[in-house]
Amino acid sequence: LDGDLYVATVYGQLYVYRGMGPGDPVPNLGGDDGAVPSQPFMQEGEGGNTTVLYSGSFPVMAADQTDTLLPLACCEDGVHVLDKATLSLVYKIQTRGQAQDVRTFGSTLYVAEGAQGVGVYSLQGKTPVEIGRYVCEKGIYQIAVSHKGHFLTVACGSDEVRMLSVSDPASIGEIYRHSVTNGPLYGNNLASTTLDDGTMILFWHKNGLCYTNPEQGDDRFHFVSYAKKRGFCGYCNGEGIESDGKRIFYSHKGAYSLLDVNDPDGTFLEDKPQGTVCPSFRGLLSLQGNRMVATQRSTGEIRALDIANAESPTVLSHVKTNASPAKAIFCGNRILIPGGRSGLLELKIQ
């Protein structure tokens, strides 16, 4: 713009380089060189409010929990592990790569570290210990753990998913994989919760619903395509997928849609009243009981819905922020949301 180069990163940082011309080398992003200072946290809305619980010079990209701990993926600053009750810092894990995503099973922590693959850490004891690692040449940015903890789905780059056996973290092995050339993985494709029988699910742009159940001996990823669906874009459009164990929810084209698990080849409820309740609804979805939270990174919007009647939900709160909210987690009675450079947020519904 008028000789100045502006670069916005997916981690919620803005860089500006003045006086750039054709042929000038693009500076390396990182540190304070060219970085625009972050704005103070701001919000507006109705039915609820958000507060910043934990923040610093790092972004908070993702969160998960154990019985007592709350690990946060903080990108270049590794993983910050907080006390779940007090939200005070217990320790940091200096990861080999940038911490993009975190998942826990028992006292084991899995961290998606981009080009450094997946790091596996034991959270037992006073200090964490790396107990395993799996490296993919394409980089790993999304992960999901099977319901019994024996397997890990990883998204490699933008065009491949792999199933890993993690029963022995010191000897992680690939079980099977699937690659496509038509339709990339844009982000937030993996559901955090499995179906009641342990089936793991994800949505793939232009390839529809993908499912697999390695805990029951499955040896491949399966696909169910929907003729009406033209693409699931994940983070780029603020779309998400999640399950309550019996149903599959995903946000798409201004509404959330509902799939009947017992009829995966049937029609999905794209044209039901969900779209009229929230005409501009999008979001990365999180579920607990009759409550849904949808967060949209590109606009900073956070919505909470009552889905006791899933086909006619009620909007409980709609808050607009200047954060980059990622997928929320329910931590006891609290709703915690990774907010990018704004830190860890809490949504309180009035």
Side-chain angles (χ1 to χ4, degrees), residues 151 163-165 174-177 197-201 210-223:
F151 300 94
M163 184 62 66
L164 308 179
S165 173
E174 179 187 327
I175 306 301
Y176 49 93
R177 69 170 71 180
D197 67 353
T199 298
M200 305 176 76
I201 54 175
C210 175
Y211 65 95
T212 187
N213 195 336
E215 296 283 6
Q216 291 189 0
D218 213 345
D219 61 356
R220 70 195 66 184
F221 292 98
H222 308 273
F223 287 86

Side-chain angles (χ1 to χ4, degrees), residues 42-314:
M42 296 182 291
Q43 66 167 329
E44 62 178 3
E46 56 186 11
N49 62 80
T50 53
T51 55
V52 179
L53 299 180
Y54 182 79
S55 64
S57 60
F58 47 84
V60 179
M61 306 297 297
D64 205 353
Q65 59 187 311
T66 70
D67 289 342
T68 59
L69 299 174
L70 185 72
L72 308 177
C74 295
C75 200
E76 69 272 12
D77 209 38
V79 175
H80 291 208
V81 180
L82 309 186
D83 181 280
K84 190 173 173 179
T86 64
L87 297 183
S88 59
L89 180 65
V90 179
Y91 48 69
K92 293 183 184 180
I93 301 175
Q94 296 299 325
T95 53
R96 300 188 197 182
Q98 296 192 353
Q100 313 280 336
D101 196 7
V102 288
R103 291 291 184 270
T104 61
F105 188 86
S107 61
T108 301
L109 172 68
Y110 300 91
V111 184
E113 300 181 21
Q116 296 299 319
V118 175
V120 187
Y121 303 87
S122 172
L123 301 183
Q124 292 180 331
K126 295 182 179 180
T127 57
V129 178
E130 182 176 322
I131 56 176
R133 182 166 295 273
Y134 176 86
V135 178
C136 168
E137 64 279 3
K138 299 180 180 181
I140 295 175
Y141 303 94
Q142 304 178 66
I143 53 178
V145 187
S146 66
H147 73 302
K148 293 183 179 179
H150 299 139
F151 300 94
L152 189 72
T153 301
V154 299
C156 297
S158 62
D159 61 356
E160 184 175 84
V161 288
R162 298 181 187 180
M163 184 62 66
L164 308 179
S165 173
V166 292
S167 296
D168 180 5
S171 182
I172 298 174
E174 179 187 327
I175 306 301
Y176 49 93
R177 69 170 71 180
H178 186 88
S179 303
V180 297
T181 57
N182 179 25
L185 294 160
Y186 283 110
N188 199 63
N189 299 77
L190 310 182
S192 302
T193 305
T194 67
L195 302 183
D196 285 344
D197 67 353
T199 298
M200 305 176 76
I201 54 175
L202 65 103
F203 252 119
W204 205 320
H205 184 54
K206 295 186 179 181
N207 291 83
L209 176 67
C210 175
Y211 65 95
T212 187
N213 195 336
E215 296 283 6
Q216 291 189 0
D218 213 345
D219 61 356
R220 70 195 66 184
F221 292 98
H222 308 273
F223 287 86
V224 177
S225 297
Y226 298 95
K228 290 175 62 179
K229 189 168 180 59
R230 296 185 177 180
F232 176 89
C233 293
Y235 276 151
C236 69
N237 277 344
E239 298 172 343
I241 179 174
E242 196 50 271
S243 170
D244 64 358
K246 297 177 174 59
R247 300 168 295 184
I248 300 171
F249 298 78
Y250 68 95
S251 61
H252 181 62
K253 294 185 177 178
Y256 80 75
S257 299
L258 178 65
L259 296 176
D260 183 351
V261 173
N262 296 319
D263 185 20
D265 292 311
T267 59
F268 56 90
L269 308 178
E270 189 173 54
D271 301 321
K272 294 296 182 179
Q274 296 94 318
T276 60
V277 173
C278 298
S280 61
F281 177 87
R282 290 185 184 274
L284 315 179
L285 306 182
S286 301
L287 301 170
Q288 184 186 65
N290 292 329
R291 186 162 293 179
M292 171 189 285
V293 174
T295 56
Q296 190 171 354
R297 294 183 67 181
S298 59
T299 64
E301 294 180 76
I302 303 170
R303 287 185 173 90
L305 284 74
D306 183 329
I307 57 169
N309 181 351
E311 295 183 20
S312 184
T314 301

